[in-house]
Amino acid sequence: MKKEIKKQHFQKEVEKEMEIFEDLLKKDGLKVTAQRLLVAEKIFSLHSHFTAESLSDMFKDKRDEISKATIYRILSIMVKANLLIENDFGKDYKYYEHIIGHEHHDHIICMDCNRIVEFFEPKIEELQEKIAESNNFTIKGHSLNIYANCKKGSSCEHLNSNYK
Amino acid sequence: MKKEIKKQHFQKEVEKEMEIFEDLLKKDGLKVTAQRLLVAEKIFSLHSHFTAESLSDMFKDKRDEISKATIYRILSIMVKANLLIENDFGKDYKYYEHIIGHEHHDHIICMDCNRIVEFFEPKIEELQEKIAESNNFTIKGHSLNIYANCKKGSSCEHLNSNYK
DNA sequence: GTTTGTGCAAATCATTTGCACCGCG
DNA sequence: CGCGGTGCAAATGATTTGCACAAAC
């Protein structure tokens, strides 16, 4: 029962997000295509980090296969529109996460199992602001990645990487 | 006169660093070649961030031109030996800085002029340690980049980018 | 109908690698 | 000498792009 409620909640969220996305397309004179809707819906329904590759794979088995070129073009639109955050975790490909309903946060990247953990520390944010200020800069953004190992016996050991 | 003292100081520093580098090569059974000495000496004498490209360019006009492949191979040796830090500033190439005599620090990257400013904030370091700890991780490293614009009237406006 | 999007294959660009020759130890 | 190092050119791999055709408005 609880599960059902949660699912409905998520569906409602996704609908709301899809509306924002479609409005954005129209506002910018971009066309509402099947590929854009499918990709955006998939992205909004994901609740973890993904790569262009992993996103592409999600359409591999379906009749709705979408070319990598198009995937990249849609990701680019959504990043520019601030619907998506592009993360560089030191690999040679990018990680994405959708931003609506997700407060700003930083990341711990586990070097053992590739797990990505989010955290938010207001004091760090505040200190960054001060540092930029005292150096005569205006902060436009930041990226803080903690690279770490999971300790022996942590739940990490049981997980497989979802990330290539 | 002061300048002279400073220059001597730097030269002494570089000599010390070169000794460390040569010892490292020998210890690891690697050969002491002209290219390795030239590149290391150049790196130790630099006091700002550089790229494989910019480093390569520094040898372009001299009779001692060194191939990019060799440059990359030497950079790799020095990074593995902890003589060099490899930084990802959100561009599609890496930035390097030599580490001997340079305390750990984080970076502000100016999006207007590409200037890179270093800073160190012990409180942020401490908070990161706590965050990792409370999530059952052992920190192996971190990267904190603040992306910013220089304020109107700052010295930034007069500088040209040294980075491609 | 015109303009924009898509898929494909080719291009790009930093970095890596195979290989033949070179030079340190 | 013998093995590791270097330079060259080709390979790599994620992402981008030109182009012809297809779909949206």
Side-chain angles (χ1 to χ4, degrees), chain A residues 35 65-71 73:
Chain A
Q35 289 90 333
E65 185 157 345
I66 295 171
S67 80
K68 276 256 184 74
T70 296
I71 299 262
R73 284 187 274 233

mmCIF file with all atom_site columns, all heavy atoms in Angstrom, chain A residues 35 65-71 73, chain C residues 6-8, chain D residues 17-20:
data_model
loop_
_atom_site.group_PDB
_atom_site.id
_atom_site.type_symbol
_atom_site.label_atom_id
_atom_site.label_alt_id
_atom_site.label_comp_id
_atom_site.label_asym_id
_atom_site.label_entity_id
_atom_site.label_seq_id
_atom_site.pdbx_PDB_ins_code
_atom_site.Cartn_x
_atom_site.Cartn_y
_atom_site.Cartn_z
_atom_site.occupancy
_atom_site.B_iso_or_equiv
_atom_site.pdbx_formal_charge
_atom_site.auth_seq_id
_atom_site.auth_comp_id
_atom_site.auth_asym_id
_atom_site.auth_atom_id
_atom_site.pdbx_PDB_model_num
ATOM 1   N N     . GLN A 1 35 ? 11.350 11.477 -29.300 1.00 0.00 ? 35 GLN A N     1
ATOM 2   C CA    . GLN A 1 35 ? 12.622 11.183 -28.624 1.00 0.00 ? 35 GLN A CA    1
ATOM 3   C C     . GLN A 1 35 ? 12.824 12.073 -27.404 1.00 0.00 ? 35 GLN A C     1
ATOM 4   O O     . GLN A 1 35 ? 13.233 11.612 -26.336 1.00 0.00 ? 35 GLN A O     1
ATOM 5   C CB    . GLN A 1 35 ? 13.797 11.389 -29.586 1.00 0.00 ? 35 GLN A CB    1
ATOM 6   C CG    . GLN A 1 35 ? 13.905 10.348 -30.676 1.00 0.00 ? 35 GLN A CG    1
ATOM 7   C CD    . GLN A 1 35 ? 13.132 10.731 -31.930 1.00 0.00 ? 35 GLN A CD    1
ATOM 8   O OE1   . GLN A 1 35 ? 12.145 11.473 -31.864 1.00 0.00 ? 35 GLN A OE1   1
ATOM 9   N NE2   . GLN A 1 35 ? 13.556 10.209 -33.068 1.00 0.00 ? 35 GLN A NE2   1
ATOM 10  N N     . GLU A 1 65 ? 14.437 2.596  -29.738 1.00 0.00 ? 65 GLU A N     1
ATOM 11  C CA    . GLU A 1 65 ? 15.864 2.882  -29.644 1.00 0.00 ? 65 GLU A CA    1
ATOM 12  C C     . GLU A 1 65 ? 16.157 4.305  -30.136 1.00 0.00 ? 65 GLU A C     1
ATOM 13  O O     . GLU A 1 65 ? 15.572 4.783  -31.094 1.00 0.00 ? 65 GLU A O     1
ATOM 14  C CB    . GLU A 1 65 ? 16.685 1.863  -30.440 1.00 0.00 ? 65 GLU A CB    1
ATOM 15  C CG    . GLU A 1 65 ? 18.163 2.088  -30.241 1.00 0.00 ? 65 GLU A CG    1
ATOM 16  C CD    . GLU A 1 65 ? 18.997 0.833  -30.514 1.00 0.00 ? 65 GLU A CD    1
ATOM 17  O OE1   . GLU A 1 65 ? 18.447 -0.261 -30.583 1.00 0.00 ? 65 GLU A OE1   1
ATOM 18  O OE2   . GLU A 1 65 ? 20.225 0.992  -30.651 1.00 0.00 ? 65 GLU A OE2   1
ATOM 19  N N     . ILE A 1 66 ? 17.045 4.975  -29.418 1.00 0.00 ? 66 ILE A N     1
ATOM 20  C CA    . ILE A 1 66 ? 17.361 6.368  -29.732 1.00 0.00 ? 66 ILE A CA    1
ATOM 21  C C     . ILE A 1 66 ? 18.866 6.486  -29.937 1.00 0.00 ? 66 ILE A C     1
ATOM 22  O O     . ILE A 1 66 ? 19.642 5.974  -29.141 1.00 0.00 ? 66 ILE A O     1
ATOM 23  C CB    . ILE A 1 66 ? 16.900 7.301  -28.589 1.00 0.00 ? 66 ILE A CB    1
ATOM 24  C CG1   . ILE A 1 66 ? 15.360 7.241  -28.492 1.00 0.00 ? 66 ILE A CG1   1
ATOM 25  C CG2   . ILE A 1 66 ? 17.364 8.726  -28.818 1.00 0.00 ? 66 ILE A CG2   1
ATOM 26  C CD1   . ILE A 1 66 ? 14.799 7.925  -27.284 1.00 0.00 ? 66 ILE A CD1   1
ATOM 27  N N     . SER A 1 67 ? 19.249 7.177  -30.988 1.00 0.00 ? 67 SER A N     1
ATOM 28  C CA    . SER A 1 67 ? 20.681 7.252  -31.303 1.00 0.00 ? 67 SER A CA    1
ATOM 29  C C     . SER A 1 67 ? 21.449 8.038  -30.247 1.00 0.00 ? 67 SER A C     1
ATOM 30  O O     . SER A 1 67 ? 20.918 8.950  -29.626 1.00 0.00 ? 67 SER A O     1
ATOM 31  C CB    . SER A 1 67 ? 20.892 7.886  -32.666 1.00 0.00 ? 67 SER A CB    1
ATOM 32  O OG    . SER A 1 67 ? 20.780 9.289  -32.551 1.00 0.00 ? 67 SER A OG    1
ATOM 33  N N     . LYS A 1 68 ? 22.718 7.674  -30.107 1.00 0.00 ? 68 LYS A N     1
ATOM 34  C CA    . LYS A 1 68 ? 23.579 8.367  -29.145 1.00 0.00 ? 68 LYS A CA    1
ATOM 35  C C     . LYS A 1 68 ? 23.639 9.861  -29.457 1.00 0.00 ? 68 LYS A C     1
ATOM 36  O O     . LYS A 1 68 ? 23.624 10.690 -28.553 1.00 0.00 ? 68 LYS A O     1
ATOM 37  C CB    . LYS A 1 68 ? 24.998 7.791  -29.198 1.00 0.00 ? 68 LYS A CB    1
ATOM 38  C CG    . LYS A 1 68 ? 25.220 6.564  -28.368 1.00 0.00 ? 68 LYS A CG    1
ATOM 39  C CD    . LYS A 1 68 ? 25.996 6.892  -27.098 1.00 0.00 ? 68 LYS A CD    1
ATOM 40  C CE    . LYS A 1 68 ? 26.294 5.645  -26.305 1.00 0.00 ? 68 LYS A CE    1
ATOM 41  N NZ    . LYS A 1 68 ? 27.369 4.847  -26.946 1.00 0.00 ? 68 LYS A NZ    1
ATOM 42  N N     . ALA A 1 69 ? 23.727 10.187 -30.722 1.00 0.00 ? 69 ALA A N     1
ATOM 43  C CA    . ALA A 1 69 ? 23.807 11.600 -31.113 1.00 0.00 ? 69 ALA A CA    1
ATOM 44  C C     . ALA A 1 69 ? 22.622 12.364 -30.539 1.00 0.00 ? 69 ALA A C     1
ATOM 45  O O     . ALA A 1 69 ? 22.778 13.450 -29.978 1.00 0.00 ? 69 ALA A O     1
ATOM 46  C CB    . ALA A 1 69 ? 23.847 11.732 -32.629 1.00 0.00 ? 69 ALA A CB    1
ATOM 47  N N     . THR A 1 70 ? 21.444 11.783 -30.672 1.00 0.00 ? 70 THR A N     1
ATOM 48  C CA    . THR A 1 70 ? 20.239 12.438 -30.164 1.00 0.00 ? 70 THR A CA    1
ATOM 49  C C     . THR A 1 70 ? 20.254 12.500 -28.642 1.00 0.00 ? 70 THR A C     1
ATOM 50  O O     . THR A 1 70 ? 19.881 13.516 -28.050 1.00 0.00 ? 70 THR A O     1
ATOM 51  C CB    . THR A 1 70 ? 18.993 11.690 -30.669 1.00 0.00 ? 70 THR A CB    1
ATOM 52  O OG1   . THR A 1 70 ? 18.963 11.796 -32.086 1.00 0.00 ? 70 THR A OG1   1
ATOM 53  C CG2   . THR A 1 70 ? 17.726 12.277 -30.097 1.00 0.00 ? 70 THR A CG2   1
ATOM 54  N N     . ILE A 1 71 ? 20.686 11.437 -28.013 1.00 0.00 ? 71 ILE A N     1
ATOM 55  C CA    . ILE A 1 71 ? 20.812 11.439 -26.548 1.00 0.00 ? 71 ILE A CA    1
ATOM 56  C C     . ILE A 1 71 ? 21.690 12.619 -26.105 1.00 0.00 ? 71 ILE A C     1
ATOM 57  O O     . ILE A 1 71 ? 21.306 13.403 -25.245 1.00 0.00 ? 71 ILE A O     1
ATOM 58  C CB    . ILE A 1 71 ? 21.460 10.122 -26.054 1.00 0.00 ? 71 ILE A CB    1
ATOM 59  C CG1   . ILE A 1 71 ? 20.610 8.918  -26.424 1.00 0.00 ? 71 ILE A CG1   1
ATOM 60  C CG2   . ILE A 1 71 ? 21.777 10.208 -24.561 1.00 0.00 ? 71 ILE A CG2   1
ATOM 61  C CD1   . ILE A 1 71 ? 19.706 8.392  -25.347 1.00 0.00 ? 71 ILE A CD1   1
ATOM 62  N N     . ARG A 1 73 ? 22.361 15.293 -27.722 1.00 0.00 ? 73 ARG A N     1
ATOM 63  C CA    . ARG A 1 73 ? 21.749 16.591 -28.023 1.00 0.00 ? 73 ARG A CA    1
ATOM 64  C C     . ARG A 1 73 ? 20.677 16.938 -26.999 1.00 0.00 ? 73 ARG A C     1
ATOM 65  O O     . ARG A 1 73 ? 20.542 18.098 -26.585 1.00 0.00 ? 73 ARG A O     1
ATOM 66  C CB    . ARG A 1 73 ? 21.210 16.577 -29.456 1.00 0.00 ? 73 ARG A CB    1
ATOM 67  C CG    . ARG A 1 73 ? 22.346 16.719 -30.485 1.00 0.00 ? 73 ARG A CG    1
ATOM 68  C CD    . ARG A 1 73 ? 21.846 16.879 -31.927 1.00 0.00 ? 73 ARG A CD    1
ATOM 69  N NE    . ARG A 1 73 ? 21.611 15.600 -32.568 1.00 0.00 ? 73 ARG A NE    1
ATOM 70  C CZ    . ARG A 1 73 ? 22.128 15.226 -33.747 1.00 0.00 ? 73 ARG A CZ    1
ATOM 71  N NH1   . ARG A 1 73 ? 22.918 16.032 -34.422 1.00 0.00 ? 73 ARG A NH1   1
ATOM 72  N NH2   . ARG A 1 73 ? 21.846 14.049 -34.264 1.00 0.00 ? 73 ARG A NH2   1
ATOM 73  P P     . DT  C 2 6  ? 15.177 15.069 -31.934 1.00 0.00 ? 6  DT  C P     1
ATOM 74  O OP1   . DT  C 2 6  ? 14.308 14.305 -31.006 1.00 0.00 ? 6  DT  C OP1   1
ATOM 75  O OP2   . DT  C 2 6  ? 16.383 15.768 -31.433 1.00 0.00 ? 6  DT  C OP2   1
ATOM 76  O "O5'" . DT  C 2 6  ? 15.608 14.102 -33.120 1.00 0.00 ? 6  DT  C "O5'" 1
ATOM 77  C "C5'" . DT  C 2 6  ? 14.592 13.366 -33.805 1.00 0.00 ? 6  DT  C "C5'" 1
ATOM 78  C "C4'" . DT  C 2 6  ? 15.235 12.355 -34.730 1.00 0.00 ? 6  DT  C "C4'" 1
ATOM 79  O "O4'" . DT  C 2 6  ? 15.832 13.063 -35.841 1.00 0.00 ? 6  DT  C "O4'" 1
ATOM 80  C "C3'" . DT  C 2 6  ? 16.345 11.521 -34.083 1.00 0.00 ? 6  DT  C "C3'" 1
ATOM 81  O "O3'" . DT  C 2 6  ? 16.051 10.145 -34.295 1.00 0.00 ? 6  DT  C "O3'" 1
ATOM 82  C "C2'" . DT  C 2 6  ? 17.624 11.965 -34.789 1.00 0.00 ? 6  DT  C "C2'" 1
ATOM 83  C "C1'" . DT  C 2 6  ? 17.111 12.539 -36.107 1.00 0.00 ? 6  DT  C "C1'" 1
ATOM 84  N N1    . DT  C 2 6  ? 17.892 13.682 -36.674 1.00 0.00 ? 6  DT  C N1    1
ATOM 85  C C2    . DT  C 2 6  ? 18.243 13.632 -37.997 1.00 0.00 ? 6  DT  C C2    1
ATOM 86  O O2    . DT  C 2 6  ? 17.982 12.696 -38.729 1.00 0.00 ? 6  DT  C O2    1
ATOM 87  N N3    . DT  C 2 6  ? 18.935 14.738 -38.448 1.00 0.00 ? 6  DT  C N3    1
ATOM 88  C C4    . DT  C 2 6  ? 19.288 15.863 -37.725 1.00 0.00 ? 6  DT  C C4    1
ATOM 89  O O4    . DT  C 2 6  ? 19.895 16.792 -38.253 1.00 0.00 ? 6  DT  C O4    1
ATOM 90  C C5    . DT  C 2 6  ? 18.881 15.839 -36.344 1.00 0.00 ? 6  DT  C C5    1
ATOM 91  C C7    . DT  C 2 6  ? 19.222 17.015 -35.460 1.00 0.00 ? 6  DT  C C7    1
ATOM 92  C C6    . DT  C 2 6  ? 18.212 14.764 -35.880 1.00 0.00 ? 6  DT  C C6    1
ATOM 93  P P     . DG  C 2 7  ? 16.934 9.006  -33.595 1.00 0.00 ? 7  DG  C P     1
ATOM 94  O OP1   . DG  C 2 7  ? 16.033 7.902  -33.210 1.00 0.00 ? 7  DG  C OP1   1
ATOM 95  O OP2   . DG  C 2 7  ? 17.814 9.627  -32.594 1.00 0.00 ? 7  DG  C OP2   1
ATOM 96  O "O5'" . DG  C 2 7  ? 17.829 8.528  -34.829 1.00 0.00 ? 7  DG  C "O5'" 1
ATOM 97  C "C5'" . DG  C 2 7  ? 17.203 8.042  -36.007 1.00 0.00 ? 7  DG  C "C5'" 1
ATOM 98  C "C4'" . DG  C 2 7  ? 18.251 7.657  -37.033 1.00 0.00 ? 7  DG  C "C4'" 1
ATOM 99  O "O4'" . DG  C 2 7  ? 18.852 8.860  -37.582 1.00 0.00 ? 7  DG  C "O4'" 1
ATOM 100 C "C3'" . DG  C 2 7  ? 19.397 6.814  -36.478 1.00 0.00 ? 7  DG  C "C3'" 1
ATOM 101 O "O3'" . DG  C 2 7  ? 19.676 5.797  -37.437 1.00 0.00 ? 7  DG  C "O3'" 1
ATOM 102 C "C2'" . DG  C 2 7  ? 20.552 7.803  -36.348 1.00 0.00 ? 7  DG  C "C2'" 1
ATOM 103 C "C1'" . DG  C 2 7  ? 20.262 8.812  -37.448 1.00 0.00 ? 7  DG  C "C1'" 1
ATOM 104 N N9    . DG  C 2 7  ? 20.676 10.189 -37.171 1.00 0.00 ? 7  DG  C N9    1
ATOM 105 C C8    . DG  C 2 7  ? 20.642 10.843 -35.967 1.00 0.00 ? 7  DG  C C8    1
ATOM 106 N N7    . DG  C 2 7  ? 21.041 12.088 -36.031 1.00 0.00 ? 7  DG  C N7    1
ATOM 107 C C5    . DG  C 2 7  ? 21.362 12.273 -37.372 1.00 0.00 ? 7  DG  C C5    1
ATOM 108 C C6    . DG  C 2 7  ? 21.847 13.417 -38.053 1.00 0.00 ? 7  DG  C C6    1
ATOM 109 O O6    . DG  C 2 7  ? 22.099 14.538 -37.591 1.00 0.00 ? 7  DG  C O6    1
ATOM 110 N N1    . DG  C 2 7  ? 22.040 13.176 -39.406 1.00 0.00 ? 7  DG  C N1    1
ATOM 111 C C2    . DG  C 2 7  ? 21.794 11.973 -40.033 1.00 0.00 ? 7  DG  C C2    1
ATOM 112 N N2    . DG  C 2 7  ? 22.045 11.922 -41.332 1.00 0.00 ? 7  DG  C N2    1
ATOM 113 N N3    . DG  C 2 7  ? 21.333 10.889 -39.409 1.00 0.00 ? 7  DG  C N3    1
ATOM 114 C C4    . DG  C 2 7  ? 21.143 11.107 -38.085 1.00 0.00 ? 7  DG  C C4    1
ATOM 115 P P     . DC  C 2 8  ? 20.628 4.575  -37.076 1.00 0.00 ? 8  DC  C P     1
ATOM 116 O OP1   . DC  C 2 8  ? 19.964 3.355  -37.575 1.00 0.00 ? 8  DC  C OP1   1
ATOM 117 O OP2   . DC  C 2 8  ? 21.056 4.662  -35.670 1.00 0.00 ? 8  DC  C OP2   1
ATOM 118 O "O5'" . DC  C 2 8  ? 21.901 4.853  -37.994 1.00 0.00 ? 8  DC  C "O5'" 1
ATOM 119 C "C5'" . DC  C 2 8  ? 21.724 5.077  -39.393 1.00 0.00 ? 8  DC  C "C5'" 1
ATOM 120 C "C4'" . DC  C 2 8  ? 22.935 5.788  -39.952 1.00 0.00 ? 8  DC  C "C4'" 1
ATOM 121 O "O4'" . DC  C 2 8  ? 22.935 7.168  -39.536 1.00 0.00 ? 8  DC  C "O4'" 1
ATOM 122 C "C3'" . DC  C 2 8  ? 24.266 5.209  -39.449 1.00 0.00 ? 8  DC  C "C3'" 1
ATOM 123 O "O3'" . DC  C 2 8  ? 24.891 4.496  -40.512 1.00 0.00 ? 8  DC  C "O3'" 1
ATOM 124 C "C2'" . DC  C 2 8  ? 25.095 6.427  -39.037 1.00 0.00 ? 8  DC  C "C2'" 1
ATOM 125 C "C1'" . DC  C 2 8  ? 24.270 7.618  -39.529 1.00 0.00 ? 8  DC  C "C1'" 1
ATOM 126 N N1    . DC  C 2 8  ? 24.338 8.790  -38.613 1.00 0.00 ? 8  DC  C N1    1
ATOM 127 C C2    . DC  C 2 8  ? 24.628 10.049 -39.141 1.00 0.00 ? 8  DC  C C2    1
ATOM 128 O O2    . DC  C 2 8  ? 24.825 10.151 -40.362 1.00 0.00 ? 8  DC  C O2    1
ATOM 129 N N3    . DC  C 2 8  ? 24.684 11.117 -38.323 1.00 0.00 ? 8  DC  C N3    1
ATOM 130 C C4    . DC  C 2 8  ? 24.459 10.956 -37.011 1.00 0.00 ? 8  DC  C C4    1
ATOM 131 N N4    . DC  C 2 8  ? 24.519 12.044 -36.238 1.00 0.00 ? 8  DC  C N4    1
ATOM 132 C C5    . DC  C 2 8  ? 24.163 9.680  -36.441 1.00 0.00 ? 8  DC  C C5    1
ATOM 133 C C6    . DC  C 2 8  ? 24.111 8.630  -37.267 1.00 0.00 ? 8  DC  C C6    1
ATOM 134 P P     . DT  D 3 17 ? 29.913 20.640 -32.247 1.00 0.00 ? 17 DT  D P     1
ATOM 135 O OP1   . DT  D 3 17 ? 30.803 21.815 -32.270 1.00 0.00 ? 17 DT  D OP1   1
ATOM 136 O OP2   . DT  D 3 17 ? 28.549 20.732 -31.704 1.00 0.00 ? 17 DT  D OP2   1
ATOM 137 O "O5'" . DT  D 3 17 ? 29.833 20.029 -33.719 1.00 0.00 ? 17 DT  D "O5'" 1
ATOM 138 C "C5'" . DT  D 3 17 ? 31.001 19.463 -34.297 1.00 0.00 ? 17 DT  D "C5'" 1
ATOM 139 C "C4'" . DT  D 3 17 ? 30.678 18.982 -35.700 1.00 0.00 ? 17 DT  D "C4'" 1
ATOM 140 O "O4'" . DT  D 3 17 ? 30.243 17.608 -35.651 1.00 0.00 ? 17 DT  D "O4'" 1
ATOM 141 C "C3'" . DT  D 3 17 ? 29.559 19.744 -36.416 1.00 0.00 ? 17 DT  D "C3'" 1
ATOM 142 O "O3'" . DT  D 3 17 ? 29.927 19.871 -37.789 1.00 0.00 ? 17 DT  D "O3'" 1
ATOM 143 C "C2'" . DT  D 3 17 ? 28.348 18.837 -36.257 1.00 0.00 ? 17 DT  D "C2'" 1
ATOM 144 C "C1'" . DT  D 3 17 ? 29.018 17.476 -36.327 1.00 0.00 ? 17 DT  D "C1'" 1
ATOM 145 N N1    . DT  D 3 17 ? 28.314 16.348 -35.684 1.00 0.00 ? 17 DT  D N1    1
ATOM 146 C C2    . DT  D 3 17 ? 28.423 15.095 -36.258 1.00 0.00 ? 17 DT  D C2    1
ATOM 147 O O2    . DT  D 3 17 ? 29.051 14.887 -37.277 1.00 0.00 ? 17 DT  D O2    1
ATOM 148 N N3    . DT  D 3 17 ? 27.773 14.097 -35.584 1.00 0.00 ? 17 DT  D N3    1
ATOM 149 C C4    . DT  D 3 17 ? 27.034 14.220 -34.425 1.00 0.00 ? 17 DT  D C4    1
ATOM 150 O O4    . DT  D 3 17 ? 26.506 13.240 -33.921 1.00 0.00 ? 17 DT  D O4    1
ATOM 151 C C5    . DT  D 3 17 ? 26.953 15.557 -33.882 1.00 0.00 ? 17 DT  D C5    1
ATOM 152 C C7    . DT  D 3 17 ? 26.170 15.790 -32.638 1.00 0.00 ? 17 DT  D C7    1
ATOM 153 C C6    . DT  D 3 17 ? 27.594 16.539 -34.531 1.00 0.00 ? 17 DT  D C6    1
ATOM 154 P P     . DG  D 3 18 ? 29.287 20.982 -38.731 1.00 0.00 ? 18 DG  D P     1
ATOM 155 O OP1   . DG  D 3 18 ? 30.262 22.078 -38.842 1.00 0.00 ? 18 DG  D OP1   1
ATOM 156 O OP2   . DG  D 3 18 ? 27.905 21.270 -38.252 1.00 0.00 ? 18 DG  D OP2   1
ATOM 157 O "O5'" . DG  D 3 18 ? 29.184 20.242 -40.134 1.00 0.00 ? 18 DG  D "O5'" 1
ATOM 158 C "C5'" . DG  D 3 18 ? 30.231 19.343 -40.555 1.00 0.00 ? 18 DG  D "C5'" 1
ATOM 159 C "C4'" . DG  D 3 18 ? 29.754 18.536 -41.762 1.00 0.00 ? 18 DG  D "C4'" 1
ATOM 160 O "O4'" . DG  D 3 18 ? 29.096 17.328 -41.306 1.00 0.00 ? 18 DG  D "O4'" 1
ATOM 161 C "C3'" . DG  D 3 18 ? 28.740 19.240 -42.658 1.00 0.00 ? 18 DG  D "C3'" 1
ATOM 162 O "O3'" . DG  D 3 18 ? 28.927 18.781 -43.995 1.00 0.00 ? 18 DG  D "O3'" 1
ATOM 163 C "C2'" . DG  D 3 18 ? 27.403 18.806 -42.067 1.00 0.00 ? 18 DG  D "C2'" 1
ATOM 164 C "C1'" . DG  D 3 18 ? 27.702 17.378 -41.585 1.00 0.00 ? 18 DG  D "C1'" 1
ATOM 165 N N9    . DG  D 3 18 ? 27.021 16.975 -40.356 1.00 0.00 ? 18 DG  D N9    1
ATOM 166 C C8    . DG  D 3 18 ? 26.745 17.748 -39.264 1.00 0.00 ? 18 DG  D C8    1
ATOM 167 N N7    . DG  D 3 18 ? 26.151 17.088 -38.293 1.00 0.00 ? 18 DG  D N7    1
ATOM 168 C C5    . DG  D 3 18 ? 26.031 15.803 -38.785 1.00 0.00 ? 18 DG  D C5    1
ATOM 169 C C6    . DG  D 3 18 ? 25.472 14.642 -38.192 1.00 0.00 ? 18 DG  D C6    1
ATOM 170 O O6    . DG  D 3 18 ? 24.964 14.522 -37.084 1.00 0.00 ? 18 DG  D O6    1
ATOM 171 N N1    . DG  D 3 18 ? 25.551 13.540 -39.035 1.00 0.00 ? 18 DG  D N1    1
ATOM 172 C C2    . DG  D 3 18 ? 26.104 13.548 -40.289 1.00 0.00 ? 18 DG  D C2    1
ATOM 173 N N2    . DG  D 3 18 ? 26.092 12.411 -40.955 1.00 0.00 ? 18 DG  D N2    1
ATOM 174 N N3    . DG  D 3 18 ? 26.633 14.620 -40.866 1.00 0.00 ? 18 DG  D N3    1
ATOM 175 C C4    . DG  D 3 18 ? 26.561 15.718 -40.060 1.00 0.00 ? 18 DG  D C4    1
ATOM 176 P P     . DC  D 3 19 ? 28.055 19.389 -45.195 1.00 0.00 ? 19 DC  D P     1
ATOM 177 O OP1   . DC  D 3 19 ? 28.975 19.463 -46.351 1.00 0.00 ? 19 DC  D OP1   1
ATOM 178 O OP2   . DC  D 3 19 ? 27.306 20.585 -44.746 1.00 0.00 ? 19 DC  D OP2   1
ATOM 179 O "O5'" . DC  D 3 19 ? 27.027 18.197 -45.467 1.00 0.00 ? 19 DC  D "O5'" 1
ATOM 180 C "C5'" . DC  D 3 19 ? 27.487 16.839 -45.420 1.00 0.00 ? 19 DC  D "C5'" 1
ATOM 181 C "C4'" . DC  D 3 19 ? 26.297 15.896 -45.566 1.00 0.00 ? 19 DC  D "C4'" 1
ATOM 182 O "O4'" . DC  D 3 19 ? 25.787 15.560 -44.252 1.00 0.00 ? 19 DC  D "O4'" 1
ATOM 183 C "C3'" . DC  D 3 19 ? 25.118 16.504 -46.350 1.00 0.00 ? 19 DC  D "C3'" 1
ATOM 184 O "O3'" . DC  D 3 19 ? 24.587 15.508 -47.206 1.00 0.00 ? 19 DC  D "O3'" 1
ATOM 185 C "C2'" . DC  D 3 19 ? 24.136 16.869 -45.251 1.00 0.00 ? 19 DC  D "C2'" 1
ATOM 186 C "C1'" . DC  D 3 19 ? 24.377 15.743 -44.261 1.00 0.00 ? 19 DC  D "C1'" 1
ATOM 187 N N1    . DC  D 3 19 ? 23.957 16.029 -42.855 1.00 0.00 ? 19 DC  D N1    1
ATOM 188 C C2    . DC  D 3 19 ? 23.519 14.975 -42.060 1.00 0.00 ? 19 DC  D C2    1
ATOM 189 O O2    . DC  D 3 19 ? 23.496 13.836 -42.524 1.00 0.00 ? 19 DC  D O2    1
ATOM 190 N N3    . DC  D 3 19 ? 23.130 15.229 -40.780 1.00 0.00 ? 19 DC  D N3    1
ATOM 191 C C4    . DC  D 3 19 ? 23.166 16.484 -40.305 1.00 0.00 ? 19 DC  D C4    1
ATOM 192 N N4    . DC  D 3 19 ? 22.788 16.679 -39.055 1.00 0.00 ? 19 DC  D N4    1
ATOM 193 C C5    . DC  D 3 19 ? 23.612 17.574 -41.120 1.00 0.00 ? 19 DC  D C5    1
ATOM 194 C C6    . DC  D 3 19 ? 24.002 17.308 -42.368 1.00 0.00 ? 19 DC  D C6    1
ATOM 195 P P     . DA  D 3 20 ? 23.694 15.975 -48.508 1.00 0.00 ? 20 DA  D P     1
ATOM 196 O OP1   . DA  D 3 20 ? 24.574 15.740 -49.668 1.00 0.00 ? 20 DA  D OP1   1
ATOM 197 O OP2   . DA  D 3 20 ? 23.065 17.295 -48.307 1.00 0.00 ? 20 DA  D OP2   1
ATOM 198 O "O5'" . DA  D 3 20 ? 22.570 14.851 -48.500 1.00 0.00 ? 20 DA  D "O5'" 1
ATOM 199 C "C5'" . DA  D 3 20 ? 22.937 13.466 -48.317 1.00 0.00 ? 20 DA  D "C5'" 1
ATOM 200 C "C4'" . DA  D 3 20 ? 21.726 12.711 -47.813 1.00 0.00 ? 20 DA  D "C4'" 1
ATOM 201 O "O4'" . DA  D 3 20 ? 21.509 13.060 -46.410 1.00 0.00 ? 20 DA  D "O4'" 1
ATOM 202 C "C3'" . DA  D 3 20 ? 20.423 13.065 -48.544 1.00 0.00 ? 20 DA  D "C3'" 1
ATOM 203 O "O3'" . DA  D 3 20 ? 19.630 11.890 -48.685 1.00 0.00 ? 20 DA  D "O3'" 1
ATOM 204 C "C2'" . DA  D 3 20 ? 19.764 14.085 -47.624 1.00 0.00 ? 20 DA  D "C2'" 1
ATOM 205 C "C1'" . DA  D 3 20 ? 20.202 13.581 -46.244 1.00 0.00 ? 20 DA  D "C1'" 1
ATOM 206 N N9    . DA  D 3 20 ? 20.264 14.632 -45.206 1.00 0.00 ? 20 DA  D N9    1
ATOM 207 C C8    . DA  D 3 20 ? 20.601 15.953 -45.373 1.00 0.00 ? 20 DA  D C8    1
ATOM 208 N N7    . DA  D 3 20 ? 20.570 16.649 -44.259 1.00 0.00 ? 20 DA  D N7    1
ATOM 209 C C5    . DA  D 3 20 ? 20.187 15.729 -43.297 1.00 0.00 ? 20 DA  D C5    1
ATOM 210 C C6    . DA  D 3 20 ? 19.972 15.838 -41.907 1.00 0.00 ? 20 DA  D C6    1
ATOM 211 N N6    . DA  D 3 20 ? 20.117 16.976 -41.219 1.00 0.00 ? 20 DA  D N6    1
ATOM 212 N N1    . DA  D 3 20 ? 19.585 14.719 -41.244 1.00 0.00 ? 20 DA  D N1    1
ATOM 213 C C2    . DA  D 3 20 ? 19.442 13.584 -41.928 1.00 0.00 ? 20 DA  D C2    1
ATOM 214 N N3    . DA  D 3 20 ? 19.619 13.348 -43.237 1.00 0.00 ? 20 DA  D N3    1
ATOM 215 C C4    . DA  D 3 20 ? 19.995 14.483 -43.870 1.00 0.00 ? 20 DA  D C4    1
#
